[in-house]
Amino acid sequence: MTQHPFRFAALCVMVCIVLVLILYAFADKPNDRKNGFSRKVLPAATLKSSLELKYPAYYIAGHTDEHIYLGNYSASQHLLAADRHLKDTQHLTLKLAPGERYAWKLARIMVDSPVVYMAEGSTPTLYRGRLDDLHMSRFLQQSCFFNMLQNVSATSFISRSIHLDSLGSSRNILTKIKTDSPYVTLGKNIIKKQVDGIFCTDGTLDYDKQTGKLVYVYHYRNEFVALDTNLHTLYTGHTLDTNTMAKIQVARLSTGGSKFSAPPAYVNSLARLADNRIYVLSTLVADNEHWQARHDTEIIDVYSLHDGTYIYTLHIPLQGKERITDFVVKGDQLLALCDHTLNVYTIARQ
């Protein structure tokens, strides 16, 4: 009789296991719910070389035909230079002018060879120097506060700033900062508010020197805006997915600020411009892709910079569990930065 309770317990465990397996079999898989679009996928990229990074928090500060430069959010004056094959590396330190001191840590380095910039938007402060000596001096004395900055020439920059309107509402706007008067020009009706004006308009900005065009890609909706360097809108384009509205929930804080009240639904993580094309790192799986694609690869959709039309999609194989945090495209090479590695891939082109 003493064995019956154990048999009953074992039976209960088996029934539970069977029920879990049945529920899993009938549960929605990541791609069971169709996202309403399809992709034209080219052959997967091929890993050519990889560089192990000793520290995390790197970002791509710039690149030339022969080198790529990495800045580090945890060490604002540090610059790592690597050749295009990742065989030769140099650790560089930006040098401030004698007596120059700063209290901020979260600065961003921008390399536009032979010039190098170091910028921080909450002060705001901007330094400029040259790669051949790395001596930095203060530059652009009259500016505005910014949370994103892109240099477009030796004398002008495009920034994303927070603008307070006459009703007391804050929103992201694009501005042009110049070394001569007018020093700051506000871009009107470029970034479109949907929810709160800040989180709902979050996105990524990049500049293509060859064509003189900028593109701002929203994170939470299927939309991007192409601009010239005077902040004139050239066209509004759309990514493949059907998310026309930002799916976010924002809560107001007693301090007057705001925060996400639920995890946001990312659509586009990052965008880079090269060779008259827009490369958008997407978070969504297409109807004609296997749901495992999002787990094993990064998905990059390619659009024409001329008019925003979709061209094709690249699958970038992941190395381990690290996701891509930044990337650049140089011809048939894609250099992808992850938490602890910098990888060079050969990509298909059309």
Side-chain angles (χ1 to χ4, degrees):
M1 295 293 293
T2 57
Q3 293 182 353
H4 291 304
F6 295 102
R7 291 179 180 175
F8 179 75
L11 180 62
C12 289
V13 171
M14 291 298 296
V15 170
C16 290
I17 292 174
V18 171
L19 287 174
V20 169
L21 292 175
I22 292 173
L23 289 172
Y24 177 79
F26 287 96
D28 286 342
K29 301 299 188 300
N31 205 29
D32 281 349
R33 295 182 179 178
K34 301 299 183 182
N35 286 316
F37 67 95
S38 297
R39 286 188 167 104
K40 178 182 178 181
V41 181
L42 296 191
T46 303
L47 179 66
K48 287 298 184 182
S49 56
S50 184
L51 174 66
E52 292 290 332
L53 302 174
K54 186 176 181 181
Y55 304 104
Y58 276 106
Y59 60 89
I60 297 176
H63 60 91
T64 64
D65 289 339
E66 297 299 327
H67 292 88
I68 184 168
Y69 298 90
L70 305 182
N72 193 289
Y73 289 116
S74 299
S76 59
Q77 292 175 248
H78 173 66
L79 192 63
L80 174 62
D83 72 334
R84 61 185 301 174
H85 304 293
L86 308 185
K87 301 298 183 183
D88 180 38
T89 60
Q90 288 181 290
H91 291 272
L92 310 172
T93 301
L94 303 187
K95 305 163 188 175
L96 297 182
E100 190 73 58
R101 294 290 184 270
Y102 62 92
W104 36 264
K105 297 295 183 182
L106 193 61
R108 176 87 183 214
I109 296 174
M110 298 176 293
V111 174
D112 186 10
S113 182
V115 181
V116 57
Y117 302 96
M118 185 168 66
E120 196 279 332
S122 62
T123 312
T125 307
L126 187 69
Y127 292 90
R128 180 176 64 178
R130 292 180 59 86
L131 284 171
D132 55 9
D133 64 13
L134 300 177
H135 284 91
M136 309 297 290
S137 58
R138 277 186 179 265
F139 171 66
L140 202 66
Q141 298 295 332
Q142 297 193 47
S143 180
C144 62
F145 297 100
F146 55 85
N147 49 44
M148 186 179 292
L149 189 70
Q150 174 67 56
N151 65 298
V152 295
S153 74
T155 60
S156 60
F157 302 79
I158 301 299
S159 76
R160 190 184 70 184
S161 305
I162 296 179
H163 177 65
L164 187 66
D165 62 25
S166 58
L167 299 177
S169 298
S170 299
R171 60 189 304 171
N172 280 319
I173 63 168
L174 294 182
T175 63
K176 184 171 185 177
I177 305 172
K178 296 169 46 180
T179 56
D180 57 357
S181 180
Y183 298 101
V184 177
T185 303
L186 305 184
K188 298 180 180 179
N189 301 317
I190 299 173
I191 298 180
K192 305 294 186 181
K193 175 182 176 180
Q194 287 188 339
V195 182
D196 66 318
I198 302 295
F199 292 112
C200 72
T201 58
D202 195 11
T204 178
L205 175 71
D206 201 26
Y207 173 64
D208 181 52
K209 184 183 294 188
Q210 182 180 355
T211 61
K213 294 178 181 178
L214 298 121
V215 172
Y216 188 83
V217 181
Y218 294 99
H219 282 323
Y220 307 116
R221 65 180 103 158
N222 67 343
E223 189 173 315
F224 56 88
V225 184
L227 314 156
D228 64 19
T229 55
N230 289 317
L231 297 181
H232 297 140
T233 298
L234 302 176
Y235 64 85
T236 298
H238 294 88
T239 52
L240 288 175
D241 64 276
T242 58
N243 291 270
T244 58
M245 296 294 295
K247 298 176 181 177
I248 64 172
Q249 298 180 37
V250 179
R252 288 287 181 181
L253 303 176
S254 58
T255 57
S258 57
K259 68 174 184 178
F260 285 120
S261 58
Y266 264 92
V267 174
N268 306 304
S269 294
L270 186 63
R272 291 289 175 253
L273 309 183
D275 302 325
N276 205 29
R277 295 178 179 182
I278 310 168
Y279 294 81
V280 179
L281 183 62
S282 176
T283 65
L284 300 178
V285 177
D287 296 349
N288 63 329
E289 290 175 305
H290 191 273
W291 65 270
Q292 193 69 21
R294 177 66 181 138
H295 293 263
D296 298 336
T297 68
E298 293 283 21
I299 301 170
I300 296 180
D301 296 320
V302 184
Y303 303 84
S304 167
L305 181 55
H306 174 67
D307 58 9
T309 57
Y310 170 71
I311 307 175
Y312 57 83
T313 294
L314 299 170
H315 280 184
I316 313 299
L318 290 175
Q319 305 302 306
K321 296 182 179 180
E322 289 191 346
R323 312 295 306 194
I324 292 178
T325 58
D326 204 351
F327 71 93
V328 294
V329 177
K330 302 172 65 172
D332 66 348
Q333 285 191 333
L334 185 143
L335 291 86
L337 178 65
C338 300
D339 287 339
H340 290 88
T341 58
L342 176 63
N343 302 314
V344 177
Y345 295 89
T346 298
I347 57 175
R349 292 175 61 84
Q350 179 179 306

